[in-house]
Amino acid sequence: MPHEPSRGNSAADVRDFFTPRAAEWDRRFPDDGPAYAAAVADLGLRPGDAVLDAGCGTGRALPALRAAAGPEGTVLGVDLTPAMLDAALRESRDGFAGLALADVARLPLRDGCLDAVFAAGLISHLSDPRENLCELARVVRPGGRLALFHPVGRAALAARHGRALTPDDLRAEAQLRPLLADAGWRLESYTDEDTRFLALAVREAR
């Protein structure tokens, strides 16, 4: 089983990992839809909200995000791997959101324009976790929310990739809480179970 990119990998490394897997991505994980929908529900979007799916991949969260934000809301999906966005288009997920090729390190969005960010499987692929989380904070209004999600927990994900679970994993609560705080987020709830990882954070006023 191939390993995920590790922290500090470049955008090129992430593209190299995801490009050959994009066409089969949804077929490899066909049963994740309900887990995505439940995580979006916990994000607490309201009709009319503006939300970003950061590292949207094939767009599996976009239908649930659109349902939560409603027709009057704004839903955006960005990814830095063209092949993943192509897969999202083949699945017609552009009908739920605007899609753009962009890196979360430099988002083409104005300060404080969003109510929330949803990020599935993103944190282990960030080139500079603190700076990238700061960039997500920049585009979210004070009091806005962030969901860091994965459809399986840390231990299950480590086993899937044939590696040991280590204390320096960025998704470990002891690592994640201060990392988020340093980037302008307050960790509000943390769940790490075999069938779900979900960290919910609130954008602090600065």
Side-chain angles (χ1 to χ4, degrees):
M1 172 94 42
H3 291 268
E4 294 180 290
S6 60
R7 78 175 75 174
N9 280 13
S10 69
D13 293 325
V14 174
R15 289 191 194 99
D16 287 347
F17 176 83
F18 282 107
T19 296
R21 296 170 174 83
E24 297 296 320
W25 193 260
D26 283 9
R27 284 185 282 278
R28 288 179 62 198
F29 308 107
D31 302 321
D32 287 347
Y36 274 77
V40 168
D42 286 342
L43 182 56
L45 293 174
R46 297 167 298 183
D49 275 354
V51 59
L52 172 70
D53 187 349
C56 67
T58 63
R60 288 182 291 173
L62 297 178
L65 291 170
R66 170 55 68 193
E72 65 273 40
T74 300
V75 182
L76 304 171
V78 301
D79 204 278
L80 56 74
T81 303
M84 290 298 252
L85 292 174
D86 289 344
L89 290 171
R90 285 195 299 273
E91 296 295 329
S92 300
R93 290 178 178 143
D94 55 323
F96 301 99
L99 297 177
L101 183 67
D103 191 337
V104 297
R106 294 173 301 279
L107 290 167
L109 297 169
R110 69 181 187 277
D111 293 0
C113 66
L114 299 174
D115 298 293
V117 172
F118 184 86
L122 179 72
I123 193 160
S124 62
H125 301 298
L126 297 177
S127 58
D128 185 328
R130 181 193 175 277
E131 289 303 311
N132 298 161
L133 288 167
C134 282
E135 176 67 354
L136 293 179
R138 180 187 68 79
V139 300
V140 174
R141 63 169 175 79
R145 291 164 66 81
L146 168 69
L148 300 175
F149 167 71
H150 201 283
V152 298
R154 294 169 56 241
L157 187 63
R160 177 185 291 177
H161 292 284
R163 54 178 169 76
L165 190 60
T166 59
D168 66 347
D169 181 351
L170 285 179
R171 289 164 291 201
E173 186 174 4
Q175 299 285 341
L176 188 59
R177 186 178 293 277
L179 175 64
L180 286 167
D182 198 34
W185 300 95
R186 181 182 77 255
L187 184 62
E188 189 174 61
S189 68
Y190 180 90
T191 303
D192 182 18
E193 303 167 343
D194 282 349
T195 57
R196 182 187 219 205
F197 176 89
L198 182 64
L200 293 171
V202 175
R203 171 74 163 89
E204 297 274 39
R206 285 187 171 179

